[in-house]
Amino acid sequence: MAEELLEVKDLRTVFYSDGEAIPAVDGVSFGLKKGETLGIVGESGSGKSVTSLSIMRLIPSPPGKVVGGSILFKGQDLLEKTDSDMRKIRGNNISMIFQEPMTSLNPVYTIGKQISETLMLHQNLSKKEATDRAVEMLKLVKIPLPDKRIKQYPHQLSGGMRQRVMIAMALSCRPELLIADEPTTALDVTIQAQILEIIKELKEKTGTAVILITHDLGVVAEIADNVLVMYCGRAVEYSSVRNIFFNPRHPYTSGLLNSIPRVEGPKKKLQAIKGVVPSPNQITKGCRFKTRCDYVHKRCMDEEPPLLEVGQSLVRCWRYCGGGECDG
Amino acid sequence: MGVQALLKYIIKKIVTMIPVLVCITVIVFLILHLAPGDPVDLIVGPNVTPEVYENIRNKLGLDQPLTVQYFKFMSNLLRGDLGTSILQQRPVSEIIIERFPVTLELGLSALVISFAIALPAGIIAAVNRNSWPDYACMSGALVGMSMPTFWFGILLMYFFAYKMRLFPISGYGTLRHLVLPAFAMGLTDAAVTARMVRSSMLEVIRQDYIRTARSKGLAEKVVINQHALKNALIPIVTLLGLRMGWLLGGSVILENVFSRPGLGRLIVDSILARDYPVVQGAMIVLTASIMAGNILADILYAVVDPRIKYN
């Protein structure tokens, strides 16, 4: 077993609005070993992106703030780092790719400048060396004619190409951890597959650990080792990718799996989880999923279940109290 | 996007300027000649025989129909001849060459002062939005914007020239003569520009690519002064052309306040004296330089924004 690279414990991030602290991430814990891939899954508003931005310490403040927990990266708490120490880690040890390739690159700088900038900053390379490395990186993400592309501006590239540039940029300093926040959501299906293939390939080549944030379970099945399912700022199920797909425990996880349209078999009405994610200020006592759950019981209304150990999974549901199935 | 494309672009812009300039000549010519008052009256005074009066009118060509006068003026203009001043009996071009640098000097130094103050103030206000540095900068800008330039000029004159005797009250010649009018103009202009910089910056710093820049581990200084500022400058550069016109045209009042012998003052004096050729010539030069400012802004626009092509 490789050593623990990242350990997030009881992370709490809130956003202040009208003097009220609204929790966006509420006591989330997970871990990641070197070279491992963790998928964080959940609907919009479940706190996935806030979790990743908290790790990067890029929560816009105000209004946001990490108010509790710890984020141990190679044994050191990132929340205790000074701003300047944190800058040395960002882009160097931990990098991030974002959901919107169309707007995530600076329109007034060339691709080459944007990649080599990181290299010159963290690796002390000269401009020439950094540019050579940038060309290499573009080759690695399979961008044709890298020597030409490097002199181009973002508007001259398609969305898929821009996301490749983002990946090249994020991986240029060979980070130990790559956080990919919905890297394929804004892309065409065919391009999505290519981008995933590139992430998968580079992950194997460089040994980078990856946190993949997505609401697409198909993407998770493709590359994740473990999966964290989030709902309303809470972890509701945390397990290996096998368990999640073949033995989902939490009603929300099953719901997500059932909402994937199937090609094989007779055509059926698409199953969706009823209702919508409650907004953080609508959360009342009891289980946060109670309003949408098919198995809701009296106990769910009053008490929020803790994360229960069920087989090899952690599940936040009263159906599994005491380790076995019990009717709450 | 090489030098050739740039040249082609400039030539194209100059060609499109020509109809505008022609329109300007028509408007200026008509307004002047249709306005009441007569230059001959001012030259000869009231006690003169009709014969002498007619003689002078004839000599100046003012007895011919307006259309004839206009085409004569235009054909001279095409040969680069702006005519002769009625009052000074010197070529108009000579007078303008004498006066134009005075105006340009004031306009450009005001522009430099304006940007030197507005850029840092606008950035500081945007980065510290809704906290005291923002309030301080924006209150200052509000005061600057609410004050008429000429009145601010008089205030500066009163305190720094009359009371403290740091600068000459008025006139032209040395750098010290330039300081007060340049600050009067530059500071009022800075007020407007600072507000533009602030709002443009606020728009840019919430963009995704700024988050990307931060995620790369760049220092906040680099994120703001390079990644954000270069984008924020795009709309400001576009407005630079318009400011140029304001700075050159706005000098009319300030040149009078500070008795600077510039183009603005020349125009006012010549209008009062009905010195038609001088007014026409000065207006054409002013219009052309405002247009040149716009072309310059267009070129700068393409320099700061790679998405813009010269075409």
Side-chain angles (χ1 to χ4, degrees), chain A residues 126-182:
Chain A
S126 69
K127 199 172 172 188
K128 168 103 189 20
E129 289 167 328
T131 309
D132 291 346
R133 256 304 266 296
V135 174
E136 243 171 72
M137 286 313 297
L138 289 186
K139 257 183 226 158
L140 220 52
V141 292
K142 302 201 172 74
I143 290 184
L145 305 172
D147 298 294
K148 208 179 129 217
R149 289 291 183 192
I150 207 138
K151 295 187 194 98
Q152 289 187 327
Y153 289 92
H155 72 274
Q156 290 163 299
L157 272 64
S158 66
M161 282 296 160
R162 288 190 213 184
Q163 197 60 299
R164 286 171 202 231
V165 171
M166 282 298 289
I167 296 172
M169 204 161 83
L171 293 179
S172 60
C173 294
R174 300 192 174 273
E176 286 127 303
L177 175 61
L178 172 71
I179 303 174
D181 187 356
E182 309 223 20

Side-chain angles (χ1 to χ4, degrees), chain A residues 83-102:
Chain A
D83 284 347
S84 93
D85 281 342
M86 199 57 218
R87 278 200 294 272
K88 282 178 198 140
I89 292 171
R90 266 185 225 134
N92 193 21
N93 303 98
I94 308 177
S95 330
M96 192 157 173
I97 22 182
F98 300 96
Q99 184 176 356
E100 282 298 333
M102 300 310 278

Side-chain angles (χ1 to χ4, degrees), chain B residues 84-123:
Chain B
T84 311
S85 162
I86 298 174
L87 202 68
Q88 300 186 37
Q89 293 298 322
R90 287 200 297 153
V92 171
S93 48
E94 201 182 292
I95 300 172
I96 288 173
I97 287 169
E98 221 170 81
R99 301 292 194 102
F100 191 56
V102 182
T103 298
L104 201 63
E105 174 192 85
L106 177 59
L108 287 180
S109 44
L111 197 68
V112 170
I113 291 168
S114 164
F115 272 80
I117 292 165
L119 276 183
I123 294 169

Side-chain angles (χ1 to χ4, degrees), chain B residues 107-120 182-183 185-194 197 243 247:
Chain B
L108 287 180
S109 44
L111 197 68
V112 170
I113 291 168
S114 164
F115 272 80
I117 292 165
L119 276 183
F183 269 91
M185 205 177 214
L187 286 177
T188 40
D189 188 63
V192 181
T193 313
V197 173
R243 315 285 323 146
L247 287 169

Side-chain angles (χ1 to χ4, degrees), chain A residues 190-310:
Chain A
T190 47
I191 309 294
Q192 282 185 9
Q194 291 173 8
I195 296 290
L196 278 183
E197 204 47 51
I198 286 167
I199 294 178
K200 209 167 145 183
E201 208 182 296
L202 290 181
K203 184 188 83 124
E204 274 150 27
K205 225 179 247 175
T206 57
T208 302
V210 177
I211 294 179
L212 182 77
I213 291 164
T214 178
H215 54 248
D216 185 344
L217 280 165
V219 170
V220 168
E222 193 87 24
I223 56 176
D225 298 312
N226 293 316
V227 180
L228 176 74
V229 182
M230 284 185 73
Y231 187 77
C232 281
R234 286 278 203 214
V236 293
E237 185 160 357
Y238 181 32
S239 189
S240 70
V241 71
R242 261 196 95 73
N243 277 333
I244 291 284
F245 278 90
F246 293 110
N247 200 0
R249 308 277 185 165
H250 197 284
Y252 181 56
T253 314
S254 330
L256 284 179
L257 285 166
N258 286 335
S259 347
I260 303 174
R262 310 246 171 228
V263 179
E264 71 273 15
K267 264 188 200 167
K268 281 187 294 185
K269 193 164 178 270
L270 194 60
Q271 279 196 342
I273 307 174
K274 63 182 184 193
V276 288
V277 185
S279 74
N281 51 10
Q282 290 171 337
I283 293 169
T284 48
K285 62 176 182 169
C287 177
R288 295 184 180 193
F289 192 57
K290 63 179 186 280
T291 50
R292 305 172 71 188
C293 185
D294 290 333
Y295 305 93
V296 66
H297 280 267
K298 196 165 159 288
R299 196 172 182 183
C300 309
M301 304 307 284
D302 303 324
E303 266 180 90
E304 189 180 13
L307 268 180
L308 299 164
E309 215 168 295
V310 185

Side-chain angles (χ1 to χ4, degrees), chain A residues 6 22 24 27 40 52 57 83 108 124 129 137 161 211 285 318:
Chain A
L6 181 79
I22 292 164
I40 301 184
S52 61
R57 289 250 314 260
D83 284 347
V108 300
N124 282 324
E129 289 167 328
M137 286 313 297
M161 282 296 160
I211 294 179
K285 62 176 182 169
W318 285 125

Side-chain angles (χ1 to χ4, degrees), chain B residues 156-203:
Chain B
L156 289 180
M157 197 191 265
Y158 179 77
F159 286 109
F160 294 101
Y162 177 67
K163 284 281 182 196
M164 298 188 210
R165 305 200 176 258
L166 291 172
F167 300 102
I169 290 210
S170 64
Y172 168 75
T174 67
L175 198 62
R176 281 162 46 98
H177 284 95
L178 180 64
V179 174
L180 290 185
F183 269 91
M185 205 177 214
L187 286 177
T188 40
D189 188 63
V192 181
T193 313
R195 289 182 65 94
M196 282 183 337
V197 173
R198 176 181 181 268
S199 63
S200 179
M201 250 336 228
L202 282 177
E203 177 63 29

Side-chain angles (χ1 to χ4, degrees), chain A residues 103-104 106 114 117-118 122, chain B residues 208 211-212 216 227 231:
Chain A
T103 52
S104 290
N106 196 326
Q114 294 190 56
E117 188 177 38
T118 325
H122 295 300
Chain B
D208 288 344
R211 185 182 56 188
T212 306
K216 292 203 281 192
H227 282 251
N231 282 285

